[in-house]
Amino acid sequence: MAKIVQVFIMILVLHVLESALANKFSSLSLADECSMLFQFKESMSINKSASVDSRAYPEVASWNLNTSDGVGNCCLWDGVECRFGHVIGLDLSSSFLSGPISSNNSLFNLIHLRTLNLADNHFLNSQIPSGIGRLSQLANLNLSYSHFSGEVPKQISHLRNLVSLDLSGNWYRITDNLYQLGLQSSDFQNLVQNTSETLRELFLSEVNIDFVPDSLVNSSSLTSLVMSSCGLSGDFPTDILYLQKLQVLDVGGNDNLTGYIPEFHGNSELKQLIVAFANFQGSIPASIGNLTHLNVLDLRSNAFTGTLPASVSKLTQLTYLDLSYNNFDRWKLPDWFGKLNKITYLDLHDVNLYGEIPSSFFNLTQLEELYLYGNPLKGQLPSSLLNFQNLESFYLGGNISVDFYLFLSLKKLKHLDLSGTNNISLSVIDSHKNESQAKFIDLHMASCNLKAFPEFLRFQHQLEHLYLDNNNIEGLIPGWIWNISKETLRKLSLTHNLLMGFEKHSPVASWVNLRSLDLSHNMLTGEIPPSICDLLSLHFLDLSFNNFTGSIPPCLEKLSNSLVVLNLGSNTLQGTIPNIFTSGSSLQMINLSENNLEGQVPRSLENCKSLQILDLGYNFIGDVFPVWLGALPELQVLILRFNNFHGIIRRPSRIQASFPKLCIIDLSYNSFSGDLPHQYFQEWSAMKESKARAAYMIAFIKDVGIGYWLSIQMTNKGVKRDYAKISKSFFAVDLSGNMFRGKIPESITTLSGLQLLNLSNNELSGVIPPSMGNLICLESLDLSSNKLSGMIPQDLVRLNFLAVLNVSNNNLTGPIPHGKQFDTFSNNSYMGNQAMCGFPLSKKCGDSEASKPPKASFEEDTESDFPNGIDWVVILIGVVTGLVIGLVYGDYLSTKYYKWFSQ
């Protein structure tokens, strides 16, 4: 008892000394600190959208300096912690705070702070103030997910008492602008060195950092290191894994970070090892079995090879195991997998598994999520699948035989993907068992060789996503299908089947939350059901590649503000395009190509301010060029090919219609006339960008959480191609098959990003501008079947990427240029130009150099410069004349100088 009293007295003395020292080194009173806190409050705004946590609460709203009611004591304020007369803790996380913080903010005068948490607020992408360095006693600093950006100030390395630092989640993209925190390598190294004895937790996810400093191996107190998606590169210092207190390591999402898993000897406290989406290589060592505390092992999307060691069976504490997307040797599921009976999440897709699933595998009764697709598994799923009563998500593939009734008996199963599983037995389910069936939310049965709609769907009332695409389902769509999951269904895909029609139309409207309907690539006939117009939440409608007839339903006007993608292409629709596009339209893609539509382009398209792609190709539309479409700010692709458009294309002077983002325009095979639209060439600014971009054009359907790759059809390099994805770096102009006349304007050569230029089958005259050699990205150039004259400019040899050239059937003359890509083109590129000569044509030029390709060797180059023909006559006359003059004058000089030397 006496010892307890002594310990208590000692602790009390230490606290008193701490308080005395604090007062000695600071003249700030509690009232001063309360005033500073209130000043901080006044510098911030309260914005309900500044925090995303559902438990967010505006804690500073109740702060008040009015001392009459006792509230003036800031130690009683929400989020404030005091000790010994000073504010030592401030937790304002998820407090709806909004506004920038400057270095002279009163917050940074609270020098006794040991804990500062401002996570989940919105500081308007401002920089972390350098004043943070004044809070020298800080042990815990959390600025995560608070919209900070720019460089982390070097003063953060002055915080030598840090125990926990969290700067993660400060990464935001707003339109095309990226806002992200960055930590300089030198500052990071200083921070690590200055806190090597105190730092326990370091959370830097999504902070831009070059590499992991080697000095982290000296952070002896470190328990958690999380640096996912930081842009790390170089080699990971594997000795970090030997830190005795380390429990969590997460460097996932750094695809340029190389490393390997080392040998583990002795005890390790490691509980989570996450290197997903990196570039770790090598085999997994057998000594990984020594990590007996491990509960999370995430190795997905790396380059691991070899086999999975049997010692993994010792990791009996594992609850999460992801080995997907690696390069393992071909392997079968081993029997020992059944020993990992605490696993709740198991992802083995695309790991080169084969063979049958062993019976012991079904001992994993705690499984909640299981992913096995992407492996050539085979065999029969046994009835012991029923052991997985906790299973919520199951993704399977391969040549597996399965009785679907087993899945219906897994009561918790919500997400089931059997795509590619082509041997499914669909037994008839008794109606009295319907209530006890699994109620799916997501059901994927694509490519399962189904020949009819599964009857069990009649009793599914909670579906949100249903995929039955790429099967052999034929006949009519049954009427009962429209009654399933009336309130919940958001996406239905029946594409690529053999469907011919509908039993009835009207019930379609019962799907009040349907966002995506894909019936494309079937054999549906008749008119488009007008009841589709009642799906007022629809964002995506694809009825393309069917046999629909009649006109486009005018009632689609009701969907103009909700639809993002409208694809009615490749049917036999007739009549005019109705004015169905209302103000506020959300449409990003409209495809009405390959129908029998006529009339004019509807002026209501002016309302589609978000439109990226408009494809009206292969119809009978008779109109002048719709110049007013140039006012659409997002239009990137315009396809009007194979129609009856006519007239001269002129740039309007009265309206702003310059097509600012246009990347692809195809006006081929119409009846346009006059000069080429040289004014537009000067204004198509997007095509003047030659910098490659990896992104593709995509329509993102927010409420469904999916992106739809925007696609088109074009003729490129002489071949009609379907572009399932359109790169944002693909720039093309096709004006072929019209009646354009006059010269090729110089302005077209300003479109420096062009990859495809087709001006063939027109009435163009004059010469090929030498400045076309500036189109350095050009891959395909077709000027055939015009009236061009003169020679092919030698400047075109600079086009290093030119794969296809066609200048046939013109009036071109002279030698064909030599060098680079020009040495790869065949006769067909030049046929029909009678006065053209040189390789590869059989007609030789007067200058033999123009008749042969360049020589590879020195001797051949010398030979190609050697004269022939009439040049020999000139040379011979010169030689004889020189010889006579030389002999006569030489004799005179030799006699004269002989006498001079004799004297």
Side-chain angles (χ1 to χ4, degrees), residues 871-885:
D871 295 336
W872 280 110
V873 177
V874 177
I875 292 170
L876 190 56
I877 292 171
V879 169
V880 172
T881 304
L883 183 59
V884 171
I885 293 171

Side-chain angles (χ1 to χ4, degrees), residues 568-820:
L568 305 180
S570 300
N571 283 283
T572 50
L573 298 171
Q574 300 172 338
T576 60
I577 304 172
N579 273 295
I580 57 175
F581 310 104
T582 59
S583 178
S585 170
S586 300
L587 278 162
Q588 296 179 32
M589 174 184 173
I590 300 173
N591 187 347
L592 305 178
S593 65
E594 299 192 58
N595 281 287
N596 297 322
L597 301 170
E598 55 189 12
Q600 297 181 326
V601 180
R603 199 64 188 249
S604 61
L605 281 170
E606 285 181 311
N607 295 318
C608 301
K609 304 299 184 185
S610 300
L611 193 63
Q612 297 181 44
I613 293 183
L614 177 61
D615 190 348
L616 304 178
Y618 296 97
N619 280 289
F620 300 98
I621 299 172
D623 200 354
V624 295
F625 181 69
V627 294
W628 42 270
L629 287 175
L632 296 179
E634 300 298 326
L635 189 63
Q636 299 175 54
V637 179
L638 178 61
I639 310 288
L640 303 179
R641 66 191 333 241
F642 284 91
N643 274 284
N644 296 325
F645 286 95
H646 55 272
I648 299 173
I649 300 178
R650 290 192 178 95
R651 163 76 166 82
S653 57
R654 289 175 298 172
I655 59 174
Q656 186 64 32
S658 59
F659 295 91
K661 290 193 176 180
L662 196 65
C663 299
I664 300 170
I665 182 168
D666 188 346
L667 308 182
S668 60
Y669 293 92
N670 283 282
S671 299
F672 290 116
S673 57
D675 294 336
L676 290 172
H678 60 91
Q679 289 178 312
Y680 276 126
F681 297 154
Q682 294 172 335
E683 295 185 342
W684 291 344
S685 55
M687 297 190 199
K688 299 180 182 182
E689 180 182 335
S690 56
K691 183 179 179 182
R693 291 180 290 175
Y696 291 91
M697 296 183 192
I698 187 170
F700 188 72
I701 303 173
K702 293 183 294 185
D703 291 351
V704 187
I706 62 171
Y708 177 78
W709 300 112
L710 301 179
S711 59
I712 58 169
Q713 187 182 83
M714 279 195 75
T715 299
N716 188 359
K717 301 177 182 178
V719 180
K720 189 176 179 181
R721 289 182 55 187
D722 288 318
Y723 287 84
K725 297 180 184 179
I726 311 171
S727 168
K728 289 188 175 182
S729 297
F730 181 56
F731 304 118
V733 173
D734 191 343
L735 305 179
S736 61
N738 285 283
M739 295 182 289
F740 290 114
R741 63 177 187 273
K743 298 180 179 180
I744 299 176
E746 290 282 343
S747 58
I748 202 169
T749 66
T750 65
L751 305 178
S752 56
L754 271 185
Q755 292 166 261
L756 181 153
L757 177 60
N758 191 345
L759 303 178
S760 65
N761 292 284
N762 281 287
E763 299 174 12
L764 301 173
S765 57
V767 299
I768 300 174
S771 56
M772 290 189 80
N774 296 329
L775 300 177
I776 56 175
C777 297
L778 210 57
E779 298 177 10
S780 177
L781 175 61
D782 193 343
L783 304 176
S784 63
S785 300
N786 280 288
K787 299 176 181 178
L788 299 172
S789 57
M791 295 191 298
I792 300 177
Q794 184 70 25
D795 305 71
L796 298 192
V797 176
R798 300 203 305 265
L799 304 179
N800 294 329
F801 299 105
L802 195 63
V804 173
L805 173 68
N806 193 348
V807 293
S808 62
N809 299 306
N810 279 287
N811 299 318
L812 297 172
T813 61
I816 296 171
H818 286 163
K820 298 182 180 178

